[in-house]
Amino acid sequence: MPLPTIPYRPPRLPEDEMRRRGGDFLAEMDRRRSVRMFSTDPVPRDLVELAVRTASTAPSGAHMQPWTFVISGKPEVKRRIRLAAEEEERINYQGGRLPAHWRAALEPLGTDWHKPYLETVPWIVVLFEQRYRVGADGVRRHHYYVKESVGIAAGLFLAAIHHMGLATLTHTPSPMAFLTGLLRRPENERPMCLFPIGYPAADCMVPDLARKPLSEVMVEV
Ligand code: IYR
């Protein structure tokens, strides 16, 4: 049975107003940076909820919304995540699991296996993708375009966090399967990305990187 339909009538704006809004939004998003130096200042839980609700407005295959945001501000949970992530990353960086080309690509960013911020940030949010769902009847139902849907939700989450004046990082400890057990997630879920959430530290520094110009990211045919 198709869903009932409702009117969708967003206001039609004058072009100069559209241009102003688009430019303002670009300028704001262009100020976003991935942060690895966080303040320990507390962040109210409702701000994290707002970002999750914003992320959850993402379009998704057949509107299945195949994502779960697991949030924690508990010191013991954050500590266990830090220890497990650092163990994996130590094998990556020091144990030779990262191939030479990957280490070379990361060199300008100056990352290493130490992830102290995972323990000191007020919140950690782990985004899980639901590969399928299990109905109340115990029957498996398909999810569609899961990676694309969850990727879009992750982007909206980043934008929402930044828009509120908070900072985060798309951290993908590799492999990240330890998060499924540590956070007691069901078999249908796989961790996709971990976001430490907080304010940037007062002495926060970020790499002085440049974004590709339009001419390198857009072609007209
Ligand atoms: N997961 C590792 C390595 C890493 C990989 C990529 I691709 C980055 O853009 C940054 C880091 C880490 O978190 O250090």
Side-chain angles (χ1 to χ4, degrees):
M1 256 270 280
L3 291 171
T5 60
I6 53 174
Y8 179 62
R9 308 278 185 275
R12 180 96 186 232
L13 302 170
E15 264 176 32
D16 53 353
E17 170 71 1
M18 295 165 76
R19 208 161 277 121
R20 191 189 61 75
R21 287 191 187 200
D24 287 352
F25 191 62
L26 166 60
E28 182 178 358
M29 293 311 295
D30 202 27
R31 284 191 289 271
R32 186 200 57 79
R33 295 301 310 263
S34 290
V35 160
R36 293 179 172 82
M37 298 169 70
F38 288 91
S39 160
T40 57
D41 290 352
V43 168
R45 184 181 192 279
D46 66 295
L47 297 185
V48 179
E49 280 181 13
L50 282 172
V52 172
R53 288 174 61 196
T54 304
S56 207
T57 67
S60 59
H63 192 51
M64 292 297 169
Q65 303 178 92
W67 44 71
T68 307
F69 290 81
V70 178
I71 79 166
S72 187
K74 290 201 175 77
E76 67 274 19
V77 173
K78 293 185 288 182
R79 177 159 182 77
R80 289 174 64 205
I81 290 176
R82 174 194 177 174
L83 292 177
E86 285 188 330
E87 184 51 33
E88 294 292 1
E89 297 294 7
R90 220 164 40 77
I91 301 170
N92 289 336
Y93 285 93
Q94 292 191 331
R97 188 162 58 185
L98 279 188
H101 64 81
W102 198 336
R103 275 207 310 281
L106 290 178
E107 219 251 338
L109 301 179
T111 56
D112 64 24
W113 64 269
H114 296 94
K115 310 293 174 192
Y117 49 81
L118 292 178
E119 199 174 343
T120 57
V121 278
W123 293 98
I124 283 183
V125 176
V126 183
L127 172 53
F128 285 79
E129 60 183 44
Q130 300 168 0
R131 296 177 305 143
Y132 57 88
R133 76 195 154 112
V134 183
D137 51 8
V139 176
R140 272 190 191 201
R141 302 268 149 68
H142 284 277
H143 278 165
Y144 310 92
Y145 296 99
V146 171
K147 295 212 177 294
E148 294 83 351
S149 305
V150 177
I152 296 166
L156 292 182
F157 184 77
L158 291 182
I161 288 289
H162 174 67
H163 190 57
M164 288 187 286
L166 292 167
T168 188
L169 168 71
T170 46
H171 179 40
T172 50
S174 175
M176 61 193 318
F178 69 88
L179 290 165
T180 307
L182 200 154
L183 298 172
R184 297 183 204 290
R185 299 313 302 162
E187 151 62 27
N188 64 320
E189 294 188 5
R190 291 281 181 270
M192 184 263 193
C193 193
L194 184 160
F195 303 95
I197 310 287
Y199 298 96
D203 60 350
C204 179
M205 303 291 283
V206 296
D208 185 15
L209 52 76
R211 294 193 160 103
K212 288 181 179 175
L214 187 64
S215 58
E216 281 182 41
V217 299
M218 187 176 91
V219 288
E220 183 169 1
V221 294

